Amino acid sequence: MHRERVLIVEAEKETYGVLRNFLEDKGYEISIAATCAATEQIWRARRPDAAILDYSLADGNALRLVPRLKAIDASIPIIILTGYGSIDFAVEAVKLLSLIHI
């Protein structure tokens, strides 16, 4: 039986650990990436069913990463998390993530 795959993109062990444990308890198969480069590799190779991205990563940020991921496969739902949000960030993120519905 196929377990749905979720990609967690987060560098902080404590944060991704909480998400991983919660989602694994719900039956999801989890992949972890800590950088934009690793995220793209997993996105191409494993095609997750959904992704949760931290905004700030060592080699970039989610707003720059999302268009690259959508160019590979626009059908995969993405959630962006940040502890430093603003209205401008939220508007830009919604615009990028809405590309899936066009």
Side-chain angles (χ1 to χ4, degrees), residues 2-94:
H2 169 73
R3 289 182 11 183
E4 291 190 352
R5 297 178 304 273
V6 176
L7 171 59
I8 298 172
V9 182
E10 170 64 64
E12 293 183 33
K13 280 186 173 184
E14 187 173 302
T15 303
Y16 76 67
V18 169
L19 289 169
R20 181 189 60 222
N21 291 342
F22 176 79
L23 293 169
E24 283 179 339
D25 286 348
K26 303 294 181 195
Y28 293 96
E29 180 183 324
I30 304 301
S31 297
I32 305 287
T35 64
C36 294
T39 301
E40 286 186 72
Q41 289 176 343
I42 293 170
W43 197 270
R44 289 178 192 281
R46 304 202 69 215
R47 289 292 202 272
D49 296 300
I52 302 171
L53 282 61
D54 184 24
Y55 171 75
S56 183
L57 300 166
D59 60 345
N61 67 56
L63 294 183
R64 292 192 180 130
L65 179 59
V66 166
R68 297 193 317 253
L69 299 177
K70 293 292 186 183
I72 298 165
D73 189 337
S75 69
I76 300 170
I78 297 172
I79 297 168
I80 299 175
L81 302 176
T82 183
Y84 308 100
S86 69
I87 297 297
D88 291 338
F89 166 78
V91 168
E92 185 64 24
V94 168

